[in-house]
């Protein structure tokens, strides 16, 4: 077989004048695979507005149980009243920005009507991920100074290993104080996640009055939990040709908790990534917003425009006893 003589082919037209005579065929859909879900932030209780970079809240716990009998006709011994305690945290600033030239805005773009509009849309998704990433690191609060950015105390810093705190860590760990003022010093030894760890923390939370409903885990730990031996004693209805053994709800002796894989817990430096599991009551932690997500244009310099999106927020853990922590886990 041979090409018909003098037939015009696409090979010839593409070479004409150094380019193609035909318009490019590019999909009008932009495919972005990078995940932007933020399950820990999304599940949090209703955010509260704040009006200072240092914000506070009040919490209390009931006194220990007492079964001491009282004598008939006994004169009452006046007990000291138990006062509430005040906790505080610091608001921090996160931001993203994008710059485009005047020429770029004048051009027609595949999949988008405006390059700046597209860039700011993706920056907003990135910033929301940054917020969740920030609160799941191991950082203490810092009020900041000239040349030092303010830092909000992160989730792990509200857990201690003292009485009434619901945490499970390797013996080599040095726990935080539990008030956001310092960080955990992690053990050099790591452990595989186990049912005993989860049940132990759930028992502690229950004993202290908490009712958590969600357990946030890294993707790797989600796989580990689905392989728990207790899984072999369960039954499920699945479609023909489907094989599966996932655990989406963990039924402990002290309540059912939804197991939620969280990509954020699998990201970051080795000191943080994949080390922690959080068992949380969403109604008892929230973001405190000094400045909610807002976008503004910076002063124009030359033939280019810059827009910035910013958020100023802090983490409020209403009462640590409502939540649980398992740390020093194998990644």
């Amino acid at each position: 077989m041979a090409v018909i003589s003098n037939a015009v082919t696409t090979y010839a037209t593409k070479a004409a004048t150094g380019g193609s005579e035909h318009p490019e065929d590019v999909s009008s859909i932009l495919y972005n695979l990078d995940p932007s879900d933020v399950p820990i932030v999304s599940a949090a209780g209703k955010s509260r507005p704040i009006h200072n970079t240092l914000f506070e809240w009040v919490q209390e716990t009931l006194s220990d149980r007492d079964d001491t009998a009282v004598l008939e006709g006994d004169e009452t011994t006046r007990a000291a009243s138990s006062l509430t305690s005040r906790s505080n945290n610091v608001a921090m600033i996160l931001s993203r920005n994008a710059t485009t030239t005047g020429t770029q805005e004048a051009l027609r773009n595949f999949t988008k009507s405006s390059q700046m509009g597209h860039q700011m849309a993706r920056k907003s998704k990135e910033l929301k991920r940054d917020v969740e990433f920030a609160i799941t690191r191991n950082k203490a609060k810092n009020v900041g100074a000239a040349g030092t950015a303010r830092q909000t105390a992160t989730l792990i810093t509200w857990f201690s290993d003292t009485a009434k705190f619901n945490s499970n860590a390797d013996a080599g760990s040095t726990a935080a104080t539990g008030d956001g003022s310092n960080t955990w010093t992690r053990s050099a030894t790591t452990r595989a996640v186990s049912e005993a760890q989860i049940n132990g923390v759930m028992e502690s939370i229950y004993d202290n009055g908490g009712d958590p409903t969600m357990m946030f885990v890294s993707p790797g730990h989600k796989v580990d939990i689905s392989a728990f031996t207790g899984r072999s004693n369960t039954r499920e209805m699945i479609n023909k040709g489907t094989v599966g053994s996932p655990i989406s709800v963990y039924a402990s002796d002290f309540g059912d908790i939804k197991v939620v894989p969280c990509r954020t817990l699998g990201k970051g430096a080795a000191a943080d990534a994949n080390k922690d599991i959080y068992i949380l009551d969403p109604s008892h932690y929230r973001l405190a917003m000094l400045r909610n997500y807002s976008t503004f244009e910076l002063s124009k310099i030359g033939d280019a425009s810059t827009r910035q999106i910013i958020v100023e927020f802090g983490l409020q853990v209403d009462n640590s006893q409502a939540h649980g922590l398992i740390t020093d886990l194998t990644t």
Side-chain angles (χ1 to χ4, degrees), residues 52-66:
N52 201 324
T53 56
L54 180 70
F55 59 96
E56 297 182 287
W57 63 96
V58 178
Q59 57 179 296
E60 68 173 352
T61 58
L62 297 179
S63 303
D64 289 335
R65 298 170 179 82
D66 185 0

Side-chain angles (χ1 to χ4, degrees), residues 261-329:
C262 178
R263 294 182 177 95
T264 302
L265 296 180
K267 299 292 184 181
D272 285 318
N274 294 326
K275 293 293 198 302
D276 308 316
I277 285 177
Y278 292 101
I279 301 175
L280 305 178
D281 180 345
S283 65
H284 284 297
Y285 75 94
R286 67 200 68 252
L287 295 183
M289 309 299 287
L290 183 60
R291 286 188 291 170
N292 213 330
Y293 295 93
S294 56
T295 304
F296 54 91
E297 188 168 2
L298 301 185
S299 299
K300 189 176 177 65
I301 301 177
D303 186 22
S305 297
T306 301
R307 295 188 68 84
Q308 183 171 7
I309 181 168
I310 197 168
V311 62
E312 192 162 5
F313 73 99
L315 174 65
Q316 176 174 317
V317 179
D318 298 344
N319 194 312
S320 300
Q321 294 182 36
H323 313 291
L325 168 72
I326 305 172
T327 191
D328 299 321
L329 296 174

Side-chain angles (χ1 to χ4, degrees), residues 190-214:
T190 56
R191 309 99 30 90
V193 61
S194 70
E195 293 182 71
Q197 295 163 1
I198 297 173
N199 288 329
V201 171
M202 285 295 292
E203 180 180 2
S204 178
I205 298 172
Y206 177 83
D207 189 52
N208 289 325
D211 293 295
T213 57
M214 304 185 78

Side-chain angles (χ1 to χ4, degrees), residues 33-52:
L33 189 60
D34 204 21
S36 59
D37 54 313
V38 285
I40 296 178
V41 169
S42 297
K46 183 179 180 181
S47 63
R48 58 165 286 200
I50 57 175
H51 306 285
N52 201 324

Side-chain angles (χ1 to χ4, degrees), residues 230-251:
R231 178 68 185 157
S232 61
N233 297 321
T234 64
R235 294 182 179 181
E236 65 174 331
M237 298 298 294
I238 59 177
N239 295 329
K240 182 179 180 181
T242 300
V243 176
S245 61
I247 291 179
S248 56
V249 176
Y250 184 87

Side-chain angles (χ1 to χ4, degrees), residues 103-147:
T103 302
Q104 177 63 65
E105 284 301 288
L107 293 176
R108 296 179 63 183
N109 296 278
F110 292 124
T111 75
K112 45 192 173 287
S113 59
S114 165
Q115 185 66 255
M116 175 60 82
H118 169 69
Q119 291 300 322
M120 292 311 296
R122 65 172 290 158
K123 296 298 180 183
S124 65
K125 293 180 180 179
E126 292 169 350
L127 188 57
K128 288 179 180 179
R129 291 194 315 173
D130 292 344
V131 170
E132 181 158 299
F133 188 75
I135 66 172
T136 54
R137 302 305 96 187
N138 184 21
K139 295 184 179 181
K141 59 189 172 187
N142 189 330
V143 296

